[in-house]
Amino acid sequence: MTPEDYVQQKAAASGSSFYYAFLFLPKPRRAAITAFYAFCREVDDVVDEVSDPGVAMTKLAWWQNEVRQAFAGQASHPVMQALMPHVPVYGLRQEQLQAVIQGCQMDLEQTRYLDYPGLQRYCHLVAGVVGEVSARIFGQTEERTTEYAHTLGLAFQLTNIIRDVGEDAMRGRIYLPVNELQRFDVKAHEVLQRVYSERFTALMKFQAERAHQLYDQAMALLPAADLRAQKPGLMMASIYRTLLREIEDENFQVLHQRISLTPLRKLWLAWKVQALGRV
């Protein structure tokens, strides 16, 4: 299997909304974003699939070294072998890849966030930076597009947090800020035991409203000159925001199930953005 085959398989197997947006890209950009996305999946899977935190931390340290070696011209992992040819083309930086790994390390070191600014730091590393890199690969020409991409990445991550409250609870993690749990009188043990209440629903409505505000902010920040190039991001925005609305329609029944969109619906939403040019 070639490095290119490996990253394609990794991206396709994830079933992610991102994959559907990649389908409409020209081949060189599609190859670059697929390799970068496969890298993100590799390091994220370390946290989700390795049960021993010590082993997971060792694996992430290996990835930190692999990134350093790759930028020194000695990539050994197929993901980095597939990604490195695209680095000079799209101006990707080593510190951006290291930031994604650092965000995954936070998952091993921290299972609670005291407030939203603390959560934002985590979201910056695992989603904001990913948005910035993606925007470069998609064909960014305006400086302001970086802020758009970063804000959109935060919106995606908050949507993921809302969707995954139950799954995260099974891993002992709560990404909802502690001071907001207190504000809505939701006890941590209620979340961990996946107990619904009107208080929980009110808390989740608050989280959803914040995510919607970020989607609106991101759309307002996107320069008209980059609208066409950033279509893949707009496709993801359409898919993720539709998912958020689906969760709202289900009255935030996220503790016992993972609410998702069908592959066909994701493809349809992506195609609509491709055809109409807007969300």
Side-chain angles (χ1 to χ4, degrees), residues 3-22:
E4 290 71 27
D5 289 338
Y6 181 92
V7 296
Q8 176 65 30
Q9 192 175 89
K10 186 77 178 178
S14 73
S16 168
S17 304
F18 290 74
Y19 179 70
Y20 296 91
F22 302 164

Side-chain angles (χ1 to χ4, degrees), residues 262-278:
T262 65
L264 185 60
R265 192 169 178 194
K266 291 177 185 177
L267 187 60
W268 168 244
L269 290 167
W271 182 84
K272 279 207 300 183
V273 173
Q274 175 69 13
L276 302 176
R278 55 183 171 79

Side-chain angles (χ1 to χ4, degrees), residues 25 29 134-135 137-141 224-233:
L25 281 167
R29 296 188 190 278
S134 299
I137 294 173
F138 295 155
Q140 173 181 351
T141 62
D226 274 352
L227 186 62
R228 184 179 180 86
Q230 298 302 318
K231 270 188 182 181

Side-chain angles (χ1 to χ4, degrees), residues 1-278:
M1 183 185 296
T2 67
E4 290 71 27
D5 289 338
Y6 181 92
V7 296
Q8 176 65 30
Q9 192 175 89
K10 186 77 178 178
S14 73
S16 168
S17 304
F18 290 74
Y19 179 70
Y20 296 91
F22 302 164
L23 296 175
F24 296 91
L25 281 167
K27 191 173 180 179
R29 296 188 190 278
R30 188 167 71 242
I33 195 65
T34 299
F36 174 64
Y37 178 71
F39 164 78
C40 295
R41 283 258 48 93
E42 287 284 351
V43 295
D44 190 57
D45 286 349
V46 171
V47 176
D48 289 341
E49 296 177 3
V50 179
S51 57
D52 185 320
V55 173
M57 195 62 85
T58 299
K59 288 195 169 192
L60 290 179
W62 182 91
W63 273 106
Q64 287 176 316
N65 185 62
E66 170 66 9
V67 169
R68 284 192 293 269
Q69 292 291 102
F71 274 80
Q74 296 178 310
S76 63
H77 194 283
V79 160
M80 296 308 298
Q81 290 171 349
L83 179 60
M84 291 312 295
H86 305 290
V87 164
V89 179
Y90 301 108
L92 310 187
R93 305 192 311 275
Q94 180 183 167
E95 56 263 34
Q96 293 171 316
L97 273 62
Q98 296 289 6
V100 176
I101 299 172
Q102 188 182 346
C104 292
Q105 287 175 325
M106 285 183 71
D107 271 328
L108 299 176
E109 299 165 344
Q110 194 169 347
T111 58
R112 303 284 193 281
Y113 292 87
L114 292 177
D115 53 25
Y116 181 58
L119 180 63
Q120 274 184 302
R121 167 65 180 158
Y122 167 74
C123 292
H124 161 73
L125 294 170
V126 299
V129 172
V130 173
E132 292 174 18
V133 172
S134 299
R136 298 279 303 191
I137 294 173
F138 295 155
Q140 173 181 351
T141 62
E142 298 284 329
E143 193 60 40
R144 196 178 177 204
T145 299
T146 298
E147 192 178 353
Y148 144 81
H150 190 274
T151 304
L152 192 59
L154 295 184
F156 292 162
Q157 190 62 26
L158 291 187
T159 303
N160 283 341
I161 287 171
I162 292 166
R163 178 195 64 194
D164 295 341
V165 172
E167 287 186 7
D168 290 331
M170 288 192 290
R171 296 187 176 108
R173 299 183 198 148
I174 301 176
Y175 290 99
L176 307 171
V178 171
N179 67 342
E180 293 173 5
L181 288 168
Q182 293 170 341
R183 175 179 166 184
F184 288 90
D185 194 29
V186 176
K187 306 295 187 288
H189 71 83
E190 293 176 322
V191 177
L192 294 173
Q193 293 170 11
R194 296 187 286 168
V195 176
Y196 291 102
S197 66
E198 290 182 5
R199 293 169 286 111
F200 174 78
T201 302
L203 169 65
M204 297 307 290
K205 284 180 179 176
F206 178 77
Q207 304 299 321
E209 183 54 39
R210 174 186 284 148
H212 279 302
Q213 288 172 0
L214 284 168
Y215 283 113
D216 290 340
Q217 287 173 25
M219 294 305 116
L221 285 166
L222 178 59
D226 274 352
L227 186 62
R228 184 179 180 86
Q230 298 302 318
K231 270 188 182 181
L234 297 177
M235 292 176 189
M236 290 185 280
S238 178
I239 292 169
Y240 266 79
R241 203 164 191 181
T242 300
L243 171 62
L244 181 59
R245 291 180 176 128
E246 190 89 357
I247 292 169
E248 290 174 310
D249 290 344
E250 293 277 338
N251 203 31
F252 301 99
Q253 297 290 295
V254 292
L255 290 172
H256 70 291
Q257 64 180 343
R258 180 188 177 101
I259 297 172
S260 61
L261 306 179
T262 65
L264 185 60
R265 192 169 178 194
K266 291 177 185 177
L267 187 60
W268 168 244
L269 290 167
W271 182 84
K272 279 207 300 183
V273 173
Q274 175 69 13
L276 302 176
R278 55 183 171 79

